[in-house]
Amino acid sequence: MIEYADESGFEPTIDGEEIVELARYVLAEMRIHPGSDLSVMLVDEAVMSDLHVKWMDEEGPTDVLSFPMDEVRPPPPGHEPAEGLLGDVVVCPTVAAKQALTAGHATIEEILLLVTHGILHVLGYDHATPEEEREMFGLQRTLLLGFLATRT
C-alpha cells in the first residue's frame, strides 16, 4: 500500500494521484511485492529543516530524505518478491520548485524525480561512490522516463 500525505502547504497543490501512480510504477518495475508499504509525504521547509538536522546533521531544508524500514530489496531474477515495510520518502516541494526553475522544467517533474530517487534509496541504492552513482542515477532516469512515457 502506498500512503500519500501533503502537509507542505505548497501552492499550486501537487497532484498526489500522480505521485502515487509513479510510486506504484517504480515499485512494480523494481519487482517489489505489491503488498509492501511505502509512505510518501510532502512537507514545508521548516519540517524538512528539522528532519535534515535530526537525521543528517546538516542545516537547512533539503529536497528529499528517505527512511528505509525493513531493508526490502528487489529480488534476484527467478525469485519471488517478499512483502515488507519499505519506509518513508519525504519531499519538500519548495526546494523542488527552486531546483526545477534552475533545471528549466516543471515543479511536478522535479518532485517525480525526487520521489523516484527517494524510493531507490529506500530500496538500498546509494550514490556514495562513482559506480553507485552511475547505477542509481541511470536506474532513476530509466524509471522516470518509463513512467512519463505511460502518461502520454
Side-chain angles (χ1 to χ4, degrees):
M1 178 176 84
I2 298 167
E3 187 176 311
Y4 171 78
D6 184 348
E7 300 176 4
S8 69
F10 184 80
E11 292 292 334
T13 304
I14 302 301
D15 182 357
E17 188 175 307
E18 187 168 22
I19 290 173
V20 170
E21 288 176 21
L22 167 75
R24 282 193 188 113
Y25 176 87
V26 169
L27 295 177
E29 290 294 307
M30 297 302 294
R31 299 186 55 241
I32 301 302
H33 192 285
S36 295
D37 293 319
L38 175 72
S39 169
V40 178
M41 181 182 292
L42 305 184
V43 299
D44 62 24
E45 286 190 33
V47 171
M48 187 59 98
S49 293
D50 290 345
L51 291 171
H52 203 203
V53 168
K54 181 176 183 178
W55 295 103
M56 304 299 288
D57 200 26
E58 294 183 27
E59 294 290 325
T62 190
D63 51 5
V64 61
L65 289 172
S66 298
F67 301 95
M69 298 297 281
D70 288 347
E71 296 187 11
V72 174
R73 302 293 183 254
H79 290 80
E80 290 300 313
E83 190 173 337
L85 180 58
L86 300 173
D88 303 320
V89 175
V90 182
V91 175
C92 183
T94 308
V95 174
K98 293 172 189 169
Q99 291 175 178
L101 188 61
T102 301
H105 55 245
T107 299
I108 187 62
E109 292 174 352
E110 186 72 15
I111 290 173
L112 294 172
L113 176 117
L114 294 172
V115 170
T116 304
H117 186 88
I119 292 171
L120 289 175
H121 273 307
V122 164
L123 297 177
Y125 290 86
D126 204 353
H127 45 87
T129 68
E131 296 80 23
E132 290 174 336
E133 183 175 324
R134 272 192 299 280
E135 179 186 20
M136 183 178 177
F137 283 46
L139 186 54
Q140 173 181 294
R141 178 177 169 75
T142 298
L143 290 166
L144 187 55
L145 290 175
F147 173 74
L148 293 173
T150 70
R151 310 298 290 160
T152 58

